[in-house]
Amino acid sequence: MESHAMNRKIPRDMNRRKTRQQNQRGASLIEVMVAVTILSIGLLGLAMLQVKSLRLNTDAYLRSQATLIANEFIEEMRANPTADYVVTAKPSSACTSCGLQQLADEAIIRWYVAQENLLPTNTSTVTAAGSEVTVTMIWKERDINVTQTWVLTL
């Protein structure tokens, strides 16, 4: 009789195991879906970070270019301090018989050409008050006007 009772116990345990396995069939699919969702959110965050990084690098590049262009122009102004560098627009012609003022006009033209080539939608001015000269450059970064100003004494 004991062997008969033992035989009954074994099938019950086996039935329980089968029931547990059948109940947990979809659990691995749910785990995979949760993992894929978390991974997707992480990858989306990385993509947004990459876009922001590219945008900020472009802004930094434009600011660096503006600074380099302005510094080159300022050094030309320091090399020829007696000429008049006050401008609100690009001069129309270069020098034919280069005196000091014509050299200044050449420097202004080079400054404007460099801005046209490197900075999007720019406007620039040079103003003077006595020996103090103000160089102002304005360009667009993502539809926002950016102004950078240098003040020097000649």
Side-chain angles (χ1 to χ4, degrees):
M1 292 240 164
E2 284 183 33
S3 65
H4 184 64
M6 198 118 161
N7 285 341
R8 284 187 186 174
K9 242 184 179 182
I10 291 173
R12 282 186 191 164
D13 286 344
M14 291 186 80
N15 283 340
R16 286 184 194 154
R17 283 186 199 149
K18 285 182 182 178
T19 305
R20 283 186 199 148
Q21 288 175 352
Q22 288 172 351
N23 288 341
Q24 292 193 3
R25 268 193 182 157
S28 62
L29 180 61
I30 292 171
E31 290 171 359
V32 168
M33 289 177 64
V34 168
V36 167
T37 303
I38 292 171
L39 182 65
S40 298
I41 291 170
L43 290 176
L44 184 61
L46 282 175
M48 289 173 36
L49 183 67
Q50 181 70 18
V51 168
K52 180 114 177 157
S53 173
L54 287 172
R55 186 180 312 139
L56 293 175
N57 279 338
T58 301
D59 294 350
Y61 171 77
L62 292 175
R63 288 173 192 251
S64 296
Q65 292 303 314
T67 302
L68 291 171
I69 293 167
N71 284 339
E72 184 177 328
F73 182 61
I74 289 168
E75 290 305 316
E76 292 199 40
M77 290 171 69
R78 286 189 175 136
N80 185 8
T82 59
D84 180 21
Y85 286 93
V86 176
V87 292
T88 56
K90 180 180 173 183
S92 59
S93 65
C95 67
T96 52
S97 61
C98 288
L100 292 178
Q101 186 56 47
Q102 286 83 16
L103 288 173
D105 290 343
E106 281 282 327
I108 293 168
I109 290 171
R110 282 194 304 275
W111 181 54
Y112 272 99
V113 168
Q115 291 176 70
E116 290 167 357
N117 291 335
L118 297 172
L119 298 175
T121 57
N122 63 74
T123 56
S124 301
T125 59
V126 178
T127 57
S131 63
E132 188 174 276
V133 179
T134 304
V135 177
T136 304
M137 296 173 64
I138 302 170
W139 68 93
K140 284 201 180 282
E141 289 178 1
R142 294 177 278 121
D143 296 331
I144 300 169
N145 282 336
V146 176
T147 304
Q148 202 161 354
T149 303
W150 294 264
V151 180
L152 63 137
T153 304
L154 294 178

